[in-house]
Amino acid sequence: MTALLEVRELRKSFAGVHAVDGVSFTVEQGSITGLIGPNGSGKSTTIDCIAGFQKADGGRVILAGTDIAGRSAHQIARAGLMRTFQTVRVYENLPLRDNLTIAAQQFDDASWSDELFRTRRYRRAAAAAEARARELIELVGLARYYDAEAGILSYGQKKLLALAAALMPRPRIVVLDEPVAGVNPTRIRDVEDVLRKLNASGETFLIVEHNVEFITNLCHHVIVLDQGRKLAEGTAAAIHTDPRVLEAYLGMTPEMAEAEMRGAA
Amino acid sequence: MKAVAIVIAALAFGVLPYLTSSNYILGVAVSAAIYTVAAAALNLIYGYTGLLSFAQLGFWGIGGYATALTVVTFGGTFWLGLLWAGLLNAALALVVGYPTLRVGRHAFVIVTLTFALLVTLVARDWVDLTRGPLGIPGLPAPSLFGVEFKTTTHFYWIAWAYALLALGFLYALGTSRIGRTLVAIKQNEPLVRAQGIAPMPYKLAAFAISAAITGIAGGIFAFHLKVIDPLFLDFYYMQTFLIMVIIGGAGSFWGVVVAGIALSALPEVLRFSSDFRMIIYGVVLLVIMLVMPGGLAGWIHQRRVARMRAALR
Amino acid sequence: MAVDPVYLVQLTLNGITLGLLYALIAVGLALIFGVMQIINFAHGELLMVGAFAMSFALPAMGSLYWPAMAAAVVATMICGLVIYETLLVRLRPDEFERSILITLGLSIIVLHVVQYLFTANPRMVDTQYGFDGVLIGTIRITWTRIIGAAVAIGAFALLFVLLKHTQFGRAMRAIAQNREAALMVGIRPRVVARNAVVLATGLCGLAGAALAPIQLVTPGMGQFLIFKAFALVIIGGLGNIPGAIVSAIGLGLIESWIGGFFEIVWQEAAVFILMVVVMFLKPDGLFTRGGMRVG
């Protein structure tokens, strides 16, 4: 298994507070890796730094062998790292079709002159984008809304749309920032299925989430952050029983957690 | 088909001088054509891209003065003057736009307003260049291949031709990928960046294009008035363009075009005391922004979305 | 070129007075921006309303300065309250362009209504102090200028106390610095915004009332001043109150000095050129931006 994304000693402070304090981890190609931690552990800041929305104070971020730390957000996207946002971002007043094809725009080889003269290159690129958009919209189950404006979708549906958009350019890795936060529990199942299907066809995911069940069901490998530092990492099962994680997350000892689990069973 | 209807309508406008010989009506028609183009250019930067730019007034004035000075001071032709108006404004827009677009949405509005004011100050006070408050009267009629465009009818055709060109260009731009990207930038800039698109080049392009188009419009209008002076930079013009965009619907091509044509007759109709006219402008602006901020096109669009929402649920 | 020191001092004093009045306007703008994230295009017209109110109140109160000024300020604050409750209260914090266009519409209406009712003829305003002044050596300063400056300084002192030491003021600073956090601790944005608007218009009305005896009162007097105030707010950093004050006084001095030695055009252009320079060097304003700092 090769490391697709490598984060080394990532550091970011805000006004003296070490939001991210020397975090290091790898995301293997073809995996679904989870990044969890209590509130304030630095997950979102880590993601923002990796994706170029914040400038890290130190450390390296290596994507498929190239150091992308310090690059701007759009450059990192072009390098193959796509991300979604915690508070979902879609183009509210544009149809789903446009929401998807805009995401692929930067990645084809058609220029404005190609479009102006409707060259073969442009028509090929537009057709390819259209085909991929339809494929993805089917996958996330929003086909009937294809020509409707994104603004009419529910919150959970918008998250699915955002996921589909992130996949349009066939990225190397997709970073999902709380993909099921605020989403209807029945819909969460749908999201899990979609992600599993995509992963089966080779897509790599790094998922930041609070929903531990979601992470447990999906992720091969889980990294736990606490107060800006990596607390533990391993398989989901291992994390579940790691006493340090339990204490940081739930304030419990292993015995208390076991009692909880038994009570819930 | 819609396209055919539009082409016919566009050509029909060209026939106007054969329907009336009233110079007054033709004068209003010239204003309609020019104002609509300026409003459409403002729509590009404000309606599509979401940047409220008061700099349009400055570009309008620079366009007028550049054209006038080319002819009067430097001995060039009217057409060369228009070319200069376009190029100068585009260049200026790039130079001014680059730092201005970086300072953030709030400061952008103020800085563009300041730009317009500075242009007004230059027009009024840099007497050596612009002849100051007296302005440059007696702008000569343009000529092409020996044909002199002396009458209002002739000028109408210049304005009409330019309107067709400029509006056609803006329509093509608005429906292209570039136009769609501008709209995306307005709606959700962080998402645009996350999708690999750098917003700055697009904003600069929109700023420069609307500057050039507005400048050329200003040049034509100045020669239609046959005089240019600092009053050309009166805030009244900015308000007119703005109201056309707002009533038509910011971001809607056809909305602004229709509003532009319809409202151009208004100043003529509202020939009360100028104070009263301004009060009405102010009230219209206020009411629309309170009740229908998306303008007429926005209101229509909202209803369509509501219907779609109901149908799909 | 030999510079007469007396002339220079005269210019400086004029500049400081001018700057203090600019500061009153700019601080009001900064306050509204800090709390509501909007720029009030009608601010200049509020100043004009204050000046007009002063011009009506003075004859009614036997040319007595202080009661007339108080009446003018109260009148302006009432206007501010009405404007807030009818228009501004409908604005959400992210509707920046809409706020500009609404206040722009308002500014057009107010200016032209006043012009329609009272004509554009400049008015001279007479106070109990007339043209009396103080003589320091060969330098002459009218009482109206001195009082204008003193009133401005007093207002800033009061504002400082208000913002730093009262709940009223702390709530404003909280909303300006971190809106979400302020909402979470129960600060009501509507009340705070209303207070900020009334306070800001009070400052503006004060400036207008102080200006009325110093220069001619016309319906358009707010227009040019307001553009300078906008530029000042940019220079000082949006929402930054001490920044606005320092920039304003600095501008008053620079304008006065330039006006004393060079042509008028440079004096008028000064603020805008300054703004352009600042924008190139420090896009966020000369002072650290964000929230409302008080000292």
Side-chain angles (χ1 to χ4, degrees):
Chain A
M1 286 256 257
T2 48
L4 178 58
L5 180 72
E6 221 188 304
V7 176
R8 284 192 214 155
E9 294 296 314
L10 194 66
R11 228 175 298 275
K12 177 75 185 172
S13 304
F14 295 105
V17 175
H18 298 292
V20 181
D21 198 7
V23 168
S24 306
F25 61 86
T26 26
V27 177
E28 302 287 336
Q29 173 101 43
S31 72
I32 305 182
T33 305
L35 184 63
I36 65 175
N39 275 322
S41 53
K43 306 190 300 292
S44 286
T45 313
T46 303
I47 297 300
D48 280 345
C49 286
I50 293 175
F53 280 82
Q54 295 263 23
K55 237 186 179 73
D57 294 330
R60 302 178 66 191
V61 178
I62 302 172
L63 177 69
T66 336
D67 190 350
I68 59 174
R71 290 201 197 167
S72 54
H74 70 268
Q75 289 169 324
I76 292 179
R78 281 191 226 179
L81 187 149
M82 295 292 279
R83 70 159 297 176
T84 63
F85 294 85
Q86 196 174 332
T87 33
V88 69
R89 287 189 179 276
V90 295
Y91 302 119
E92 303 275 335
N93 293 334
L94 289 179
L96 265 62
R97 185 200 324 120
D98 283 1
N99 264 274
L100 294 172
T101 50
I102 290 179
Q105 199 171 288
Q106 209 58 32
F107 297 88
D108 65 36
D109 49 3
S111 69
W112 64 268
S113 55
D114 283 312
E115 184 182 8
L116 184 64
F117 298 114
R118 293 284 191 274
T119 64
R120 207 178 315 147
R121 197 187 302 161
Y122 170 76
R123 281 179 280 135
R124 224 187 313 130
E130 180 82 21
R132 180 130 175 98
R134 288 204 179 267
E135 181 195 327
L136 287 168
I137 207 74
E138 283 284 350
L139 185 63
V140 296
L142 294 173
R144 69 192 288 249
Y145 301 105
Y146 193 58
D147 292 305
E149 282 189 6
I152 71 167
L153 296 177
S154 71
Y155 191 77
Q157 288 172 320
K158 285 181 188 173
K159 287 220 152 168
L160 283 169
L161 175 64
L163 174 60
L167 286 154
M168 277 296 293
R170 299 181 205 276
R172 293 184 203 266
I173 178 174
V174 181
V175 179
L176 300 172
D177 197 347
E178 305 209 18
V180 293
V183 172
N184 201 306
T186 45
R187 182 126 3 238
I188 295 182
R189 258 320 88 93
D190 298 334
V191 178
E192 274 179 39
D193 290 336
V194 169
L195 290 173
R196 252 189 233 110
K197 235 181 262 173
L198 289 161
N199 180 244
S201 52
E203 203 61 62
T204 310
F205 292 99
L206 172 64
I207 305 180
V208 170
E209 245 307 329
H210 270 296
N211 188 323
V212 180
E213 197 191 325
F214 180 78
I215 294 282
T216 315
N217 290 345
L218 266 182
C219 300
H220 312 119
H221 191 79
V222 179
I223 300 144
V224 186
L225 294 186
D226 184 36
Q227 303 201 352
R229 293 204 191 89
K230 184 166 75 177
L231 185 63
E233 74 177 300
T235 62
I239 293 298
H240 251 283
T241 49
D242 189 320
R244 297 168 296 171
V245 176
L246 289 170
E247 211 208 298
Y249 235 129
L250 305 165
M252 297 184 196
T253 61
E255 290 76 33
M256 289 163 73
E258 203 157 310
E260 274 273 327
M261 299 281 255
R262 259 187 276 122
Chain B
M1 241 187 46
K2 195 167 150 203
V4 175
I6 291 171
V7 170
I8 292 178
L11 291 173
F13 276 109
V15 175
L16 187 64
Y18 296 112
L19 299 174
T20 169
S21 54
S22 158
N23 264 357
Y24 174 71
I25 294 183
L26 287 172
V28 172
V30 172
S31 298
I34 295 296
Y35 287 175
T36 305
V37 169
L42 175 62
N43 194 23
L44 182 70
I45 189 74
Y46 174 50
Y48 283 77
T49 322
L51 297 165
L52 182 54
S53 162
F54 286 101
Q56 299 306 99
L57 180 63
F59 295 129
W60 163 264
I62 291 174
Y65 269 97
T67 315
L69 288 172
T70 305
V71 173
V72 168
T73 311
F74 298 112
T77 66
F78 171 71
W79 316 102
L80 184 66
L82 289 184
L83 184 65
W84 272 119
L87 289 175
L88 183 63
N89 275 320
L92 214 59
L94 290 174
V95 167
V96 169
Y98 184 68
T100 310
L101 285 165
R102 282 188 317 159
V103 295
R105 203 177 158 208
H106 310 286
F108 179 79
V109 179
I110 292 182
V111 174
T112 54
L113 184 63
T114 305
F115 173 76
L117 279 164
L118 271 171
V119 174
T120 313
L121 280 177
V122 167
R124 207 185 59 203
D125 297 325
W126 194 346
V127 184
D128 287 340
L129 180 68
T130 64
R131 319 259 181 106
L134 292 172
I136 307 174
L139 296 175
S143 62
L144 188 62
F145 305 130
V147 178
E148 249 198 307
F149 288 80
K150 260 189 304 194
T151 64
T152 312
T153 305
H154 294 148
F155 244 99
Y156 174 71
W157 274 322
I158 297 179
W160 170 75
Y162 180 62
L164 247 54
L165 228 88
L167 291 174
F169 174 77
L170 286 170
Y171 179 74
L173 190 64
T175 48
S176 72
R177 274 188 182 184
I178 297 178
R180 197 178 61 171
T181 309
L182 292 174
V183 169
I185 289 174
K186 171 184 171 185
Q187 289 188 15
N188 210 319
E189 194 170 325
L191 182 58
V192 167
R193 290 167 59 210
Q195 293 180 338
I197 303 172
M200 187 57 123
Y202 285 89
K203 292 182 186 177
L204 272 173
F207 199 50
I209 290 172
S210 55
I213 292 180
T214 308
I216 296 176
I220 297 177
F221 199 65
F223 273 73
H224 165 64
L225 294 176
K226 300 213 184 315
V227 62
I228 187 162
D229 57 19
L231 281 176
F232 200 74
L233 283 147
D234 194 288
F235 207 63
Y236 159 79
Y237 288 110
M238 185 74 225
Q239 284 158 357
T240 305
F241 304 153
L242 206 51
I243 286 188
M244 286 173 180
V245 171
I246 286 170
I247 291 183
S252 158
F253 177 80
W254 290 114
V256 172
V257 168
V258 168
I261 295 172
L263 294 172
S264 291
L266 217 59
E268 307 306 313
V269 168
L270 289 180
R271 270 199 175 281
F272 310 112
S273 82
S274 94
D275 275 333
F276 210 66
R277 184 190 345 163
M278 294 308 290
I279 295 175
I280 293 181
Y281 264 14
V283 170
V284 166
L285 190 55
L286 207 59
V287 168
I288 294 264
M289 286 318 288
L290 286 173
V291 168
M292 262 200 315
L296 285 168
W299 180 74
I300 294 175
H301 178 246
Q302 260 186 340
R303 295 197 34 202
R304 196 189 304 151
V305 169
R307 269 199 305 254
M308 201 182 262
R309 196 182 286 239
L312 281 169
R313 285 244 155 269
Chain C
M1 158 174 118
V3 173
D4 179 14
V6 172
Y7 184 53
L8 200 60
V9 173
Q10 179 97 56
L11 285 180
T12 306
L13 289 173
N14 278 351
I16 294 179
T17 317
L18 191 63
L20 284 168
L21 288 170
Y22 283 161
L24 278 172
I25 307 169
V27 165
L29 275 178
L31 202 65
I32 294 180
F33 183 79
V35 171
M36 296 182 73
Q37 301 291 303
I38 69 176
I39 294 201
N40 180 16
F41 258 60
H43 214 64
E45 275 58 54
L46 288 165
L47 174 123
M48 181 262 287
V49 163
F52 262 84
M54 186 73 163
S55 77
F56 291 134
L58 274 168
M61 302 203 177
S63 292
L64 288 174
Y65 191 94
W66 299 100
M69 175 170 268
V73 171
V74 168
T76 321
M77 284 169 100
I78 292 176
C79 287
L81 185 64
V82 168
I83 290 172
Y84 178 76
E85 291 296 340
T86 55
L87 297 175
L88 301 179
V89 70
R90 299 161 189 253
L91 289 167
R92 287 191 308 265
D94 63 328
E95 289 185 308
F96 182 61
E97 282 78 20
R98 190 164 167 236
S99 77
I100 290 188
L101 294 169
I102 287 180
T103 51
L104 178 64
L106 184 67
S107 124
I108 297 173
I109 294 174
V110 170
L111 194 154
H112 288 277
V113 164
V114 169
Q115 199 162 276
Y116 187 72
L117 292 175
F118 304 116
T119 80
N121 292 331
R123 298 159 159 260
M124 276 262 294
V125 163
D126 231 346
T127 69
Q128 69 199 71
Y129 300 111
F131 285 112
D132 296 340
V134 157
L135 213 57
I136 307 176
T138 47
I139 300 171
R140 196 167 179 284
I141 318 172
T142 56
W143 275 120
T144 48
R145 272 186 201 271
I146 296 176
I147 295 175
V151 158
I153 295 176
F156 293 137
L158 195 69
L159 185 68
F160 183 84
V161 167
L162 215 63
L163 285 176
K164 233 198 168 136
H165 298 293
T166 65
Q167 182 62 6
F168 177 88
R170 273 195 292 262
M172 279 189 213
R173 284 164 60 212
I175 288 234
Q177 283 180 25
N178 191 331
R179 195 181 175 86
E180 278 174 37
L183 294 179
M184 278 197 275
V185 297
I187 293 178
R188 285 171 314 182
R190 215 185 127 140
V191 171
V192 175
R194 187 198 63 205
N195 293 342
V197 169
V198 171
L199 186 58
T201 49
L203 290 170
C204 214
L206 189 67
L211 263 179
I214 297 178
Q215 65 174 61
L216 294 169
V217 173
T218 66
M221 68 190 285
Q223 286 272 292
F224 201 62
L225 284 170
I226 202 58
F227 297 139
K228 289 191 194 177
F230 287 156
L232 281 171
V233 166
I234 298 278
I235 293 173
L238 282 166
N240 189 312
I241 290 187
I245 297 178
V246 172
S247 312
I249 296 178
L251 179 70
L253 286 168
I254 291 174
E255 278 193 356
S256 194
W257 289 331
I258 290 180
F261 296 111
F262 301 105
E263 291 175 41
I264 295 277
V265 59
W266 292 114
Q267 181 185 43
E268 287 172 346
V271 66
F272 304 121
I273 296 175
L274 219 82
M275 189 190 80
V276 168
V277 168
V278 167
M279 242 180 50
F280 266 97
L281 297 177
K282 282 195 103 189
D284 286 333
L286 279 179
F287 308 89
T288 46
R289 82 159 160 139
M292 271 188 282
R293 311 297 179 81
V294 182

